[in-house]
């Protein structure tokens, strides 16, 4: 999707263990997910917290880039679109949004973490600026080629071109 002003949304996951929304689709809180248990088993991390100075820096840099916060990416799919969405559908995230975890990991979308890792490594906000991420070879390659990537082909967040 070609956003008019490019990047316009950054989602911060500053303290996921304290979230009280408990969205059923969220890998953090879904009754059907063992994500948190596996994360704790593999990393030993019990509580993830983004440093406040990192949050402040993200907001300062986002303000300089003119980034606003808005999340609206739900589109019902027909039965024929459950395995692969039409190629004409655009990604609502690329060049428009970034997701930053409590540990600073930068992601291009909200796909479950274990699947999202297959897209590439987009760095960590503690060592990279937003501008560096958006100009990185990994990010630009994803923007150019996402419709050929298995995960993106089946992403039910893609929308018809507007």
């Amino acid at each position: 999707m070609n956003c008019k002003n490019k990047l316009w949304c950054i989602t911060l996951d500053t303290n996921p263990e304290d979230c009280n929304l408990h969205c059923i689709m969220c890998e953090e809180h879904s009754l059907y997910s063992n994500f948190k248990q596996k994360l704790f088993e593999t990393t030993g991390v019990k509580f993830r917290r983004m440093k406040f100075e990192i949050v402040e820096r993200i907001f300062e840099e986002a303000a300089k880039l003119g980034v606003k916060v808005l999340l609206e990416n739900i589109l019902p799919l027909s039965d024929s679109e459950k395995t692969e969405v039409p190629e004409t559908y655009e990604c609502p995230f690329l060049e428009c949004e970034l997701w930053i975890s409590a540990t600073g990991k930068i992601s291009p979308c909200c796909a479950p973490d274990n699947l999202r890792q297959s897209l590439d490594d987009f760095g960590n906000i503690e060592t990279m600026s937003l501008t560096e991420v958006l100009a990185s070879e990994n990010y630009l390659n994803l923007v150019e080629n996402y419709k050929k990537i298995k995960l993106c082909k089946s992403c039910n967040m893609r929308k018809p071109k507007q």
Side-chain angles (χ1 to χ4, degrees):
M1 177 174 277
N2 188 8
C3 294
K4 287 181 187 174
N5 297 320
K6 298 291 181 185
L7 180 71
W8 61 272
C9 182
I10 298 171
T11 301
L12 298 178
D13 187 9
T14 59
N15 54 346
E17 281 74 32
D18 294 333
C19 175
N20 62 3
L21 296 177
H22 301 287
C23 304
I24 194 68
M25 66 182 216
C26 176
E27 67 185 349
E28 298 282 340
H29 301 109
S30 171
L31 298 172
Y32 308 103
S33 172
N34 64 355
F35 171 79
K36 284 173 51 173
Q37 177 185 347
K38 286 195 177 271
L39 177 71
F40 297 153
E41 289 171 3
T42 58
T43 66
V45 173
K46 296 289 181 190
F47 255 175
R48 294 166 289 163
R49 293 284 186 276
M50 185 179 284
K51 297 174 189 168
F52 188 71
E53 54 270 13
I54 297 295
V55 174
E56 288 181 315
R57 193 182 99 222
I58 291 168
F59 276 97
E60 288 170 9
E61 190 174 351
K64 290 176 188 173
L65 294 171
V67 174
K68 298 176 184 176
V69 177
L70 176 64
L71 182 60
E72 183 277 305
N73 293 310
I74 308 292
L75 179 73
L77 297 176
S78 70
D79 286 341
S80 65
E81 297 170 340
K82 299 254 175 169
T83 58
E84 196 169 300
V85 296
E87 189 173 330
T88 56
Y89 280 24
E90 300 288 327
C91 176
F93 302 114
L94 292 177
E95 298 185 293
C96 300
E97 300 185 28
L98 286 177
W99 299 66
I100 303 173
S101 76
T103 59
K105 184 175 178 179
I106 300 168
S107 299
C109 69
C110 66
D113 192 56
N114 61 326
L115 301 174
R116 193 174 55 237
Q117 290 177 34
S118 70
L119 298 176
D120 219 325
D121 181 4
F122 301 95
N124 190 296
I125 196 64
E126 294 189 23
T127 59
M128 291 181 77
S129 71
L130 297 173
T131 304
E132 289 172 320
V133 173
L134 296 172
S136 71
E137 185 177 332
N138 290 353
Y139 188 79
L140 294 174
N141 183 53
L142 181 62
V143 169
E144 183 70 28
N145 297 299
Y146 75 93
K147 290 183 179 181
K148 300 173 189 167
I149 297 171
K150 183 178 178 181
L151 175 62
C152 299
K153 283 181 173 185
S154 63
C155 179
N156 61 4
M157 300 299 265
R158 286 175 51 191
K159 296 180 175 183
K161 222 176 203 176
Q162 296 181 6

